[in-house]
Structures are given as structure tokens and as C-alpha cells.
Amino acid sequence: MNRSTSRAHRLLTLASALALGLVAGVLAVVPQSSRAADITLTYAFFAPAGTFPGRQMAHWAEQINKRTNGKVEVRTFPGGTLLGAREMYDGVSKGVADIGLGSPSYDPGRFPLTSGVSLPLGFPNSTVASRTLWAATKEFQPKEYAPYKVIAMFTTEPGHIQSRNPVRNAADLKGLKLRAAGTGVPVLAALGAAPVGMPMPEVPQAVQTGVIEGTMTSREVLKDFRLAETLKFVTDYPTVVVTFAAVMDRKRFERLPDDVKKVIDELAEEMPVWTGQYHDQQNVGAALQWSKQQHQLQVLTLADDERARWDAALAPMVSNWIEEMKAKGLPAERYIDRVRALRDRFARQ
Ligand code: DTR
């Protein structure tokens, strides 16, 4: 290469670099995700963004944006800023939010069949229970979701008693004011405690003010709601899961373009596993470690005979539930049989 060609070459390189830079600059100014979206969906959740259902919401929002190449944008409203726990599903029906993530467990009267998943059925973890809930919902198409399109379902891990004072036996539990949600209330009643039902976001203050002596729920709340500052004991007795369902108004969903509906359906299949695995493999473990290190949390084991008595006290709940739901004309027996079979299948995978 002589000097002039090499200069020309350098100039050319400079020019193309500038051109490339310009293109890159334009791309940087208008990245795909912030390109004016065709569709904006609002998504409400009743608890903080950092909790595991909140992370699910953020993941879903990010994925739908990505998989529709920016066509759908989601504005998330965690922490009850748009809808609280008690008004979530009505709020979606009224159009306050396009999507609402609520807990069917908080309202078993409204979601009767779903409450079967929250019976003491011995789920090993959240992943298995979440997959079971979703598979059973698809199979049975419960009427309770008729006004909605369910876009994501998952559960907590089985709840544990988390208390200010140690709970090692029925005597420790007798008359103890513990908070639970949904079927957790009859579980605590059967074990002899004095259950108080309230949504999760109200728990920290109720613990602080001594309204309750503890709670029975998944153990990540020790860190995510900083409950380990006051609740220093966990009883190693897994009980029932709490269900979550994110829904859209069905008519609103039907108006979406087909390609967007397809992505929503695709994500609905992934959410139980994504959320269950995050909760089981990172969230709960990190919370227990933090609580032990920072707040001297103690995990209490039940004696074998005590555990057997607790199991016996809870056993009638399933048959009672079946009778109650049969009286409402629901396919309760078939539902529980399927839930048990799905639980075993997913537990083996
Ligand atoms: N276990 C349910 C729900 C629950 C558990 N973790 C979170 C985090 C955010 C909201 C709700 C929940 C309960 O006892 O309410």
C-alpha cells in the first residue's frame, strides 16, 4: 500500500466508523424496548417489588416486551399502589388495571376449587405445587376464573410457623395468635392455635404491635419483610401452600392481537417453573441464611410423636373439604385425585 492509498484507506475507515457510530448512536437512542409500544398494559400487585411474586411480575413484563419486539410495554404497580390484596380481582374486572396479581388463597369463597391445592397434601416445594396448580387449572377450567384470562400461576413453598417464642408442641401452640392466609387458618385452628387471617403486607406491623405472635407462611418473608428481626423461631413442620394467580379481564385479552396472545400463552406455561425455582432455589435459602446470621434465627424440630399428632389433627381437612365442595356441586373428589397424581408426577421430574 503506498502512502496515498493508505491515507485514503484510513479516511474510508474513519468514514465507515463514523457512519457505524452514527447508526449505533441512533440505535442507542431508540433501543427496541423503549420504541413507542403499540400496546401498554398496566400490571398491579399488592406487595413490594422485591418479593418473589413481585420478581415474577418484573420478569413477565420484561419477557413480553422482548418477545413482542417492543410492541407490548408493561407498566408495573407493585406495593399496592394501584390495587391492594383485597380488591385485586374486582379491580381487574372494573378496568383499574389490565393485569392483577392476587392470591386466590386470600378468598377461598371466590376461588373454591383452587383452595384444594392449599390443603395439607404434602407438596415438597413451590415448584411442584406451582406446576400442579397450573396443570389442574388447565384440566378443570374452574368456573371461578370465567371472567378472566389467567396469565400466570404459582404458589409459595409449604408454610411454616414463624414465631416470637419457640413452638415445639401443641402446648406451645395452644391459643397462640398466629396469622395465616386461606386454608392456613383452619390448619392453625386444627393444631389448637388462635388463627388470625390477614394479607401479608399487614403482617410486619401486626407483629410489631403484638397483635399477633407470629405467622404461618413461606419462610422467605423472614427476610423480604424483615420479620426475623422479631420472629426468631421457625418450626420445621411444612404445612400448606398459598396460591397466586395473575389475571386479565377476558374481554380485554380477547381484543389483543393474535401474536401477543400467543406470547402470553407461552409465558403462562413458563411462569410456574420460573417462579417456583426462583423461590425454592434462591429466595427461601437466602432468607434463612440471612435470618440465622443476622438475627440468630433458630429452626426447631418436632419430636416424632408430636409430628404424628399434628399430621393426625390435619388429616380430616381433606375429606371435610371434599364434602363442603361437593355440596356446592364442584368435582371435588376428582380434583383432589388429580392434584395428588400431578404432585407425584412433578415430584419425580
Ligand atoms: N404466604 C402468603 C403469601 C406470601 C408469601 N410471600 C409473599 C410475598 C408477597 C406477598 C405475599 C406473600 C401469605 O401468607 O400471605
Side-chain angles (χ1 to χ4, degrees):
M1 227 186 272
N2 66 30
R3 193 178 278 219
S4 68
T5 48
S6 99
R7 191 183 309 131
H9 180 77
R10 273 207 306 275
L11 279 175
L12 206 68
T13 317
L14 188 68
S16 52
L18 276 174
L20 269 180
L22 211 63
V23 173
V26 169
L27 283 178
V29 173
V30 189
Q32 227 160 31
S33 58
S34 68
R35 211 181 58 192
D38 297 348
I39 300 162
T40 301
L41 298 174
T42 54
Y43 188 155
F45 174 47
F46 62 84
T51 61
F52 83 95
R55 288 185 191 265
Q56 182 278 159
M57 168 171 72
H59 176 71
W60 190 92
E62 183 194 298
Q63 287 300 313
I64 192 151
N65 184 262
K66 202 160 143 190
R67 295 185 200 191
T68 59
N69 298 319
K71 185 164 162 178
V72 176
E73 194 178 317
V74 181
R75 291 177 60 209
T76 57
F77 294 86
T81 45
L82 195 53
L83 287 166
R86 298 177 210 271
E87 66 226 9
M88 190 57 71
Y89 294 107
D90 285 335
V92 170
S93 295
K94 287 183 193 140
V96 177
D98 294 315
I99 303 169
L101 172 56
S103 176
S105 292
Y106 289 176
D107 196 350
R110 182 177 196 150
F111 298 101
L113 213 51
T114 304
S115 68
V117 172
S118 295
L119 289 167
L121 295 171
F123 283 107
N125 54 43
S126 155
T127 308
V128 171
S130 298
R131 295 180 74 187
T132 300
L133 168 65
W134 177 233
T137 304
K138 280 192 296 181
E139 271 181 48
F140 284 80
Q141 298 282 322
K143 273 204 200 65
E144 56 217 52
Y145 297 106
Y148 303 114
K149 164 75 182 178
V150 180
I151 66 156
M153 275 192 146
F154 54 89
T155 76
T156 62
E157 65 159 6
H160 289 69
I161 293 171
Q162 304 161 40
S163 50
R164 190 186 288 267
N165 297 308
V167 173
R168 292 193 177 89
N169 50 47
D172 292 339
L173 207 49
K174 194 164 168 34
L176 198 65
K177 278 190 284 174
L178 293 178
R179 171 270 170 190
T183 52
V185 172
V187 165
L188 286 174
L191 296 177
V196 182
M198 71 176 69
M200 193 60 222
E202 294 171 21
V203 171
Q205 201 187 347
V207 167
Q208 288 304 322
T209 54
V211 171
I212 51 175
E213 288 292 310
T215 183
M216 188 182 73
T217 186
S218 47
R219 295 165 294 177
E220 94 291 352
V221 299
L222 288 165
K223 178 164 186 264
D224 291 351
F225 289 86
R226 302 186 77 85
L227 294 179
E229 289 171 3
T230 320
L231 306 180
K232 307 279 185 196
F233 299 94
V234 169
T235 305
D236 191 17
Y237 184 77
T239 60
V240 293
V241 304
V242 173
T243 55
F244 287 86
V247 303
M248 263 184 105
D249 177 72
R250 190 172 281 282
K251 288 193 262 0
R252 173 83 176 94
F253 175 78
E254 290 307 334
R255 287 199 301 272
L256 291 173
D258 284 346
D259 57 337
V260 173
K261 284 188 198 154
K262 193 165 155 272
V263 174
I264 289 179
D265 283 335
E266 189 180 293
L267 284 171
E269 291 301 317
E270 296 173 22
M271 287 304 108
V273 174
W274 188 90
T275 317
Q277 287 185 347
Y278 168 69
H279 184 52
D280 287 331
Q281 294 172 11
Q282 299 174 43
N283 186 215
V284 172
L288 287 175
Q289 199 183 3
W290 177 84
S291 304
K292 286 176 191 165
Q293 279 170 0
Q294 306 288 319
H295 297 288
Q296 296 75 49
L297 179 87
Q298 288 184 48
V299 178
L300 309 169
T301 320
L302 289 185
D304 288 348
D305 57 340
E306 188 67 24
R307 181 177 294 270
R309 281 195 291 276
W310 289 30
D311 289 348
L314 299 186
M317 273 187 71
V318 179
S319 46
N320 292 346
W321 183 88
I322 290 177
E323 288 316 309
E324 195 189 322
M325 295 301 148
K326 269 186 8 201
K328 293 186 180 180
L330 294 170
E333 230 151 3
R334 240 176 2 99
Y335 187 78
I336 291 298
D337 285 350
R338 271 310 280 157
V339 162
R340 285 193 163 119
L342 289 162
R343 173 202 62 195
D344 293 344
R345 192 213 305 167
F346 294 133
R348 278 194 303 271
Q349 284 174 4

